[in-house]
Amino acid sequence: MKEITYEQVVETVSELCMSANYYLGEDVIQSLKEGIAKEKSETGVKVLEQLVENAAIASANQVPMCQDTGVAVVFLEVGQEVHITGGDLYQAVNEGVAKGYVEGYLRKSMVNDPLIRKNTNDNTPAVIHTKIVPGDNLTITVAPKGGGSENMSAIKMLPPSAGRQGVIDFVLETVKNAGPNPCPPIVVGVGIGGNFEKAALLAKEALLRPVGSVNPNEELAELEKELLESINKLGIGPQGFGGVVTALDVHVNTFPCHIASLPVAVNINCHAARHKTKTI
Amino acid sequence: MAEKYLKAPLTDQDVSELTIGDQVYISGIIYTARDAAHKRLVELLDKGEELPLELEGQILFYVGPSPAKPGAVIGSAGPTTSYRMDAYTPALLDKGLKGMIGKGSRSQEVKESIVKNKAVYFAAVGGAAALTAQRIKKAEVIAYPDLGPEAIHKLEVENLPVIVVNDSFGRDLYQEGMKKYQS
């Protein structure tokens, strides 16, 4: 049994909160640069250039790439041979989030209650998703998620008869309704199957895949390609000013489901598709 | 697309020369306000009380900046999504507000109020917050410090890059731009 201390978790989460907000992934930067070559709108090209420049400034000065440093969404993959010593794992995660957001000069965007709405002043609590996995490692991913794009996400319980086309229609409808609001070019996470909450989590997890990655299942890879092409024909473009680069990528994750159901969740991420992972 | 340089606050003449798609660089004084500050401003108007700032000709930037690092003027400062301010905006436009900087579509009511009051809605590039912060030369909280990032800041900006989305003639870049590139 491997022992991991409370302090190790605090430090790791704190570092990941800062690095996720300062350093945009190379996959996203590469994709934005490819977008500059593809984009037909002059304004759209300018926007994409500004985003590449912005990522460089954020990383050079170690400041957040976006002022909305998000809800701290934390994924924990806890090896079943791991023993956390010195305190409560979730408390350690929250202490790490507070430390990272305060010491890293990140914006505190969490309110204590959805209706009372008083700022907690340290961006806690985190939204934590935990998986127990084989092995003796603890893998932590911090994925700060901005409010603008999260607000444009949607879930629908389709009848199985709606099938593949029903899924495509719902994804396109969601992206079209979102228009300029979620800061396109967007990354689209689609969760299909499971049940109500599983579909939403699948969509969120799909956003953690690298931009440019393809689903290993051939049919799903084909669906991702078709969705990306269709979204980029909507005309929304960078920031919604019109153009052909509306989405950088579409990732579809699936899970078996009930004979009566076809749940579909669409989680939209802005171009600041931020997440950083570390294994202890 | 035309490039224009403007000094804030704005005049009717400034606004009348802007059309959708123009790239505008704003210099001068602007103010920040987002959800909670808008709510308070409109509550004051409803009660007939004085506002903490004179709105005539002013530009409001919908932003809640991240905290400034030691030695910095301000933290990262990009626009937030504007529709959340729609319910409050016509009342402020009627009081003389001339410009707004945000991102995303406005309601029909806001668009009509923009035309009626000869105002303009600009979009800044959402997420380009580290770049935008470099164009902010001075920042000071002038109202509602208890709101933290949502407090009203007075900003002195130099060549802040924005795009005209809704002009005073009723045109909408989001609608026209999307139509142009639909296939």
Side-chain angles (χ1 to χ4, degrees):
Chain A
M1 174 126 326
K2 179 155 108 186
E3 294 202 337
I4 293 176
T5 65
Y6 181 93
E7 284 72 25
Q8 276 178 289
V9 175
V10 172
E11 284 309 315
T12 305
V13 170
S14 165
E15 279 167 30
L16 291 172
C17 287
M18 291 191 241
S19 60
N21 276 296
Y22 300 160
Y23 311 118
L24 187 59
E26 270 309 314
D27 55 333
V28 185
I29 295 174
Q30 187 54 37
S31 176
L32 289 170
K33 286 180 179 166
E34 286 164 16
I36 293 172
K38 282 183 213 154
E39 183 52 63
K40 292 177 184 161
S41 142
E42 191 192 342
T43 310
V45 168
K46 274 208 152 186
V47 167
L48 296 170
E49 285 171 350
Q50 273 195 37
L51 295 179
V52 172
E53 189 189 348
N54 184 67
I57 294 171
S59 136
N61 299 343
Q62 298 189 315
V63 293
M65 64 193 80
C66 179
Q67 79 290 339
D68 184 354
T69 51
V71 173
V73 184
V74 178
F75 293 86
L76 301 174
E77 285 186 22
V78 187
Q80 58 191 24
E81 310 295 329
V82 169
H83 178 211
I84 308 290
T85 62
D88 171 346
L89 174 59
Y90 285 1
Q91 200 179 320
V93 168
N94 279 316
E95 196 174 318
V97 167
K99 188 173 190 293
Y101 274 72
V102 172
E103 292 178 7
Y105 296 92
L106 306 178
R107 199 182 75 184
K108 289 77 180 172
S109 310
M110 289 297 277
V111 290
N112 66 334
D113 179 286
L115 298 177
I116 298 165
R117 304 196 77 82
K118 188 176 178 311
N119 200 301
T120 64
N121 292 324
D122 60 7
N123 218 50
T124 64
V127 172
I128 304 173
H129 301 293
T130 314
K131 263 187 195 165
I132 307 295
V133 297
D136 64 356
N137 288 327
L138 170 62
T139 298
I140 304 176
T141 298
V142 175
K145 186 66 168 69
S149 60
E150 195 74 354
N151 283 351
M152 295 296 118
S153 302
I155 187 161
K156 195 167 186 181
M157 306 302 284
L158 294 174
S161 62
R164 188 176 187 274
Q165 193 55 46
V167 170
I168 293 172
D169 291 345
F170 180 60
V171 174
L172 290 178
E173 178 194 319
T174 304
V175 172
K176 198 172 174 187
N177 286 343
N181 293 349
C183 286
I186 53 177
V187 178
V188 184
V190 182
I192 312 174
N195 59 358
F196 188 77
E197 80 278 7
K198 180 72 179 175
L201 189 56
L202 286 168
K204 181 70 76 191
E205 287 167 347
L207 293 175
L208 299 179
R209 287 171 41 197
V211 170
S213 70
V214 173
N215 196 302
N217 175 311
E218 225 172 272
E219 274 181 39
L220 294 177
E222 189 51 44
L223 178 61
E224 289 177 345
K225 189 165 170 258
E226 189 177 335
L227 282 169
L228 181 62
E229 285 170 5
S230 304
I231 287 171
N232 286 337
K233 282 182 187 165
L234 291 173
I236 296 168
Q239 293 295 308
F241 299 143
V244 299
V245 182
T246 301
L248 299 175
D249 212 350
V250 180
H251 295 148
V252 177
N253 283 8
T254 62
F255 194 81
C257 63
H258 192 278
I259 47 175
S261 307
L262 174 49
V264 187
V266 182
N267 198 193
I268 298 184
N269 209 117
C270 57
H271 53 77
R274 297 162 285 191
H275 48 89
K276 288 282 183 283
T277 300
K278 192 174 174 185
T279 298
I280 310 176
Chain B
M1 103 196 180
E3 289 201 354
K4 289 173 182 167
Y5 292 81
L6 276 186
K7 184 115 174 85
L10 302 177
T11 63
D12 280 3
Q13 179 67 27
D14 292 332
V15 170
S16 70
E17 287 170 8
L18 299 174
T19 50
I20 59 164
D22 287 351
Q23 168 87 60
V24 179
Y25 296 93
I26 299 173
S27 298
I29 301 294
I30 64 173
Y31 293 88
T32 73
R34 47 171 291 158
D35 310 53
H38 270 76
K39 186 162 183 275
R40 290 193 188 179
L41 291 176
V42 171
E43 279 168 1
L44 287 177
L45 284 180
D46 288 346
K47 283 189 262 175
E49 290 176 18
E50 204 172 315
L51 299 182
L53 73 161
E54 172 54 56
L55 281 176
E56 194 62 45
Q58 301 298 349
I59 297 177
L60 287 182
F61 184 9
Y62 302 151
V63 58
S66 63
K69 277 190 157 182
V73 170
I74 198 166
S76 298
T80 194
T81 321
S82 306
Y83 72 86
R84 298 193 313 271
M85 270 50 80
D86 283 354
Y88 308 110
T89 298
L92 301 180
L93 288 167
D94 287 344
K95 275 278 164 193
L97 177 69
K98 273 288 153 204
M100 299 149 283
I101 307 170
K103 68 173 171 89
S105 313
R106 308 309 303 260
S107 67
Q108 195 52 41
E109 199 192 350
V110 170
K111 290 186 217 174
E112 284 165 12
S113 181
I114 287 173
V115 174
K116 184 183 93 179
N117 290 293
K118 291 195 176 59
V120 59
Y121 170 54
F122 303 103
V125 172
L131 188 150
T132 307
Q134 294 192 330
R135 308 294 171 91
I136 298 171
K137 301 302 171 188
K138 274 186 200 163
E140 104 182 83
V141 172
I142 59 136
Y144 314 141
D146 60 300
L147 293 179
E150 294 206 57
I152 297 186
H153 297 65
K154 180 180 177 183
L155 304 180
E156 187 181 323
V157 297
E158 202 175 289
N159 293 329
L160 183 75
V162 295
I163 302 238
V164 177
V165 169
N166 293 109
D167 61 26
S168 58
F169 311 103
R171 291 180 69 191
D172 183 329
L173 176 65
Y174 291 138
Q175 287 176 356
E176 293 190 26
M178 186 167 164
K179 267 191 202 130
K180 189 170 166 189
Y181 291 96
Q182 247 163 18
S183 59

